[in-house]
Amino acid sequence: DIMCSDYSPMSMLHAAMALCREGTTAVHEAVNMLTINPAEAAGIADDTGSIAVGKAADLVLVDDSRPVPAVLKTFIDGQEVFCSC
């Protein structure tokens, strides 16, 4: 239900995309394992974990067409802070 990592944040993205590629999990379910499910478990889902008015707007744009998923852009509080494209 939840994926987490205390040593390598990219491992969560790779694990989620592996579940999708194997057909084990739908993309939205894999994303939920990284976002809203942990937020609900931690009791902070009112502030973070999904895209909604009033919540923290931290987003990652991912290219999953490559053998290893790649982060293309990262946004924190709605502001672009990283771009690899």
Side-chain angles (χ1 to χ4, degrees):
D1 293 336
I2 295 173
M3 282 191 234
C4 65
S5 172
D6 64 350
Y7 60 92
S8 177
M10 284 300 293
S11 65
M12 296 187 304
L13 172 61
H14 295 171
M17 291 298 100
L19 289 173
C20 296
R21 288 179 177 170
E22 293 171 358
T24 305
T25 306
V27 173
H28 73 278
E29 293 169 340
V31 170
N32 286 349
M33 289 179 185
L34 304 174
T35 58
I36 193 64
N37 294 355
E40 288 175 349
I44 58 173
D46 288 342
D47 301 316
T48 190
S50 62
I51 301 170
V53 174
K55 289 190 172 187
D58 299 347
L59 304 169
V60 177
L61 177 65
V62 175
D63 178 357
D64 69 342
S65 68
R66 304 175 186 190
V68 175
V71 173
L72 300 180
K73 293 186 178 196
T74 302
F75 299 85
I76 297 177
D77 290 329
Q79 301 296 313
E80 184 177 307
V81 297
F82 173 78
C83 180
S84 68
C85 52

